[in-house]
Amino acid sequence: MRSKLFFYSLFTIFYSLLQAGNGFIFLSDTTKLFYASNNEIYSPNGKQLLYFQKGNIFFNGTTDDKQNIFLLTTSMNIASSKLELVYEKDSREPAYSFSNNKFYSGKVESDALRDKTELIHVERIKKWLSFYSSTNDSLLAYFNADSLPTSTAIVVAYTLIKKYELEQKMVIQQKQLPFQINDFSTIKPIWGNATANEWLWDGEVLRPRWNVDPRLAWVFDGKIVKPQYGNNIYQQYEWDGETFKPVWRTNHAEEWSWDGRLIRPVYDTNWANQYVIEDGVVKPWSNVHTEKEWRMDGSIPVPLLIIVLSGIAKPF
């Protein structure tokens, strides 16, 4: 019996190892960018081998011939505290560099230059690794980091830089005046868990800043507020410039109004739920409930403030 248990344990471990290191890399809209299996990266359908890693080199094609070198790096760990370099094929100068989960254009010679050359920053939230544009903090891609080796992130970051022309955007941003740079706005609680409850609005999509789940994102076209993905009509709300309410059902608890000064529920007289916006702070007008104050940087449409304040939009 003991030998059978031992054999079963070995089989379980071996089977788990065979299953490890596989998964899809998704773009922010949930379309597939790559399929990865251990040190190999495939097309989204998993049929065509695009790149594979051997040592500190990524090759394209199926053989490790010199002519198939795609990228050469000084490390495969994106979280390295040292500045690591990324060389493109036949290049003697590094095209990119990375350190502490941030990718830069070229080789960053000093700390003072890092903010000016940062292209992508990577965040680890539980099992997910998320890639954000450093020019506007928008989500670009994500994958289950527990399923894939750290080297996968390097190819993903390189691909995103090229796909979204992040270097060109960085140059354009540096030429802009300071008041032209930020094309996104944020809102977060002043007290409590500000990180988990921070929201970002880029002019098209409202989403939790640090949660990559696309099901939590909302869109607003000037009239209708609804989840970005899914077709649940009962989660659609209409806005006429003064009143916010569900489109396809009646729920007085979710009806809000805006009179140019107060954001408040239509059928609730609790002062703690009547908000004003003063000096970038969204707060109860009674000034008593400071625990319900929010800091807003930039400008966010009133109906989107309502879904955040009311809890209709959930950050996790």
Side-chain angles (χ1 to χ4, degrees):
M1 181 67 178
R2 182 176 298 178
S3 61
K4 289 183 178 180
L5 287 174
F6 178 73
F7 174 80
Y8 178 78
S9 299
L10 286 178
F11 175 80
T12 302
I13 294 171
F14 180 70
Y15 181 81
S16 299
L17 288 174
L18 287 177
Q19 298 301 306
N22 300 285
F24 288 101
I25 293 94
F26 298 92
L27 294 175
S28 61
D29 63 359
T30 72
T31 59
K32 296 170 182 175
L33 177 64
F34 295 127
Y35 175 75
S37 178
N38 295 314
N39 66 331
E40 298 176 337
I41 295 179
Y42 292 81
S43 57
N45 62 10
K47 294 182 179 180
Q48 181 183 356
L49 177 62
L50 301 177
Y51 315 107
F52 68 94
Q53 172 211 345
K54 186 174 182 181
N56 277 6
I57 301 176
F58 290 101
F59 296 90
N60 53 23
T62 57
T63 63
D64 58 356
D65 296 335
K66 184 177 181 181
Q67 63 267 25
N68 289 341
I69 290 176
F70 176 59
L71 296 174
L72 187 149
T73 69
T74 56
S75 171
M76 289 292 169
N77 180 15
I78 61 168
S80 172
S81 59
K82 289 176 54 184
L83 185 69
E84 308 293 351
L85 306 178
V86 180
Y87 295 86
E88 296 176 322
K89 181 179 180 179
D90 298 329
S91 176
R92 294 187 178 184
E93 295 296 325
Y96 304 101
S97 54
F98 61 88
S99 175
N100 295 315
N101 295 310
K102 294 181 179 181
F103 287 79
Y104 306 94
S105 177
K107 180 181 179 181
V108 184
E109 299 292 348
S110 67
D111 291 342
L113 292 175
R114 293 197 176 188
D115 288 342
K116 295 182 179 180
T117 59
E118 184 182 322
L119 300 172
I120 285 178
H121 59 277
V122 183
E123 301 288 342
R124 175 71 183 259
I125 303 174
K126 294 184 178 179
K127 64 180 181 178
W128 296 99
L129 208 64
S130 310
F131 297 73
Y132 296 89
S133 165
S134 295
T135 59
N136 63 6
D137 210 33
S138 60
L139 175 67
L140 301 177
Y142 61 95
F143 64 81
N144 185 339
D146 289 346
S147 298
L148 301 174
T150 58
S151 58
T152 304
I154 296 173
V155 171
V156 171
Y158 180 88
T159 302
L160 295 173
I161 290 169
K162 298 297 185 182
K163 177 178 178 65
Y164 294 108
E165 300 180 336
L166 297 185
E167 287 180 287
Q168 294 90 320
K169 292 179 179 179
M170 177 190 69
V171 172
I172 293 172
Q173 186 185 75
Q174 290 177 359
K175 291 180 179 178
Q176 293 176 327
L177 296 174
F179 62 83
Q180 296 176 309
I181 291 178
N182 287 336
D183 55 359
F184 62 91
S185 303
T186 61
I187 183 170
K188 61 182 178 180
I190 293 179
W191 310 103
N193 193 344
T195 299
N197 290 285
E198 185 172 1
W199 292 84
L200 184 146
W201 165 247
D202 63 10
E204 296 181 1
V205 179
L206 176 80
R207 63 170 177 82
R209 185 165 189 171
W210 306 114
N211 193 326
V212 303
D213 190 339
R215 296 171 297 179
L216 303 176
W218 294 75
V219 293
F220 174 54
D221 62 7
K223 182 179 179 181
I224 301 297
V225 179
K226 63 181 181 179
Q228 185 179 19
Y229 299 103
N231 53 9
N232 185 350
I233 62 173
Y234 297 115
Q235 287 187 294
Q236 296 183 13
Y237 300 85
E238 59 183 349
W239 170 250
D240 63 9
E242 295 181 358
T243 305
F244 173 94
K245 62 181 180 180
V247 176
W248 301 103
R249 57 194 170 86
T250 299
N251 184 355
H252 292 322
E254 292 184 325
E255 294 186 25
W256 288 64
S257 69
W258 161 248
D259 62 7
R261 179 174 178 271
L262 280 179
I263 303 173
R264 64 181 184 85
V266 174
Y267 296 94
D268 182 359
T269 58
N270 186 346
W271 289 359
N273 294 326
Q274 299 186 20
Y275 293 86
V276 295
I277 304 173
E278 295 178 351
D279 299 323
V281 177
V282 184
K283 61 181 181 179
W285 75 274
S286 61
N287 287 325
V288 175
H289 297 276
T290 56
E291 77 281 358
K292 301 184 73 172
E293 294 181 353
W294 296 72
R295 170 70 63 186
M296 182 169 64
D297 291 323
S299 178
I300 299 176
V302 170
L304 297 181
L305 292 179
I306 289 172
I307 65 173
V308 171
L309 297 173
S310 65
I312 292 173
K314 303 188 185 304
F316 41 79

